[in-house]
Amino acid sequence: TELEPHGIGTTVVCPSFFKTNLSESFRSPNPNMKKTVDQLLSSSRVTAEDIADEIYRAVRKKQFWVLPHLSGRLAWAVKKYLPPLNHHSALKFARKMAHKKKQGNS
């Protein structure tokens, strides 16, 4: 990056859901969303400490990307190397979310 000549590195961290107390302060107009977030957080085997350890190692190695979850690494690879598949997957996910929202409002 442009700050590297000055001894300043950059590390971008892109975790998926991991165990935190995020849902305690979560607010949404959709009452089902808090339940969904709780399920996503509690189903993860990755802890905040795991994420912190990965960040620490990445910064020491001057690594730019930190993708702690396998699903995130796979999504990044698909987006980078197979853009049409990524587009198809994003549309499928958006349709699924729209359908869930419509069911929740019925």
Side-chain angles (χ1 to χ4, degrees):
T1 66
E2 56 271 358
L3 297 176
E4 198 169 343
H6 304 286
I8 299 171
T10 304
T11 299
V12 178
V13 183
C14 302
S16 298
F17 289 96
F18 58 96
K19 294 177 186 174
T20 68
N21 62 354
L22 173 67
S23 67
E24 292 174 16
S25 61
F26 186 81
R27 288 179 177 70
S28 171
N30 180 344
N32 295 325
M33 189 58 79
K34 183 176 183 333
K35 181 180 175 185
T36 301
V37 169
D38 282 337
Q39 288 173 339
L40 288 168
L41 294 174
S42 65
S43 67
S44 177
R45 291 187 232 158
V46 179
T47 66
E49 291 80 16
D50 296 332
I51 302 291
D53 289 342
E54 280 208 47
I55 293 169
Y56 180 78
R57 285 191 299 273
V59 169
R60 287 188 59 124
K61 292 190 302 187
K62 299 181 187 209
Q63 182 179 332
F64 185 71
W65 288 106
V66 177
L67 302 162
H69 295 83
L70 176 60
S71 59
R73 291 190 295 275
L74 290 173
W76 179 85
V78 167
K79 186 175 182 179
K80 181 173 181 176
Y81 298 110
L82 302 167
L85 180 59
N86 178 66
H87 180 73
H88 173 74
S89 296
L91 286 176
K92 186 177 174 182
F93 180 74
R95 287 185 191 115
K96 181 180 175 182
M97 292 291 100
H99 180 71
K100 279 187 175 184
K101 182 178 181 182
K102 188 175 182 180
Q103 284 182 330
N105 291 337
S106 298

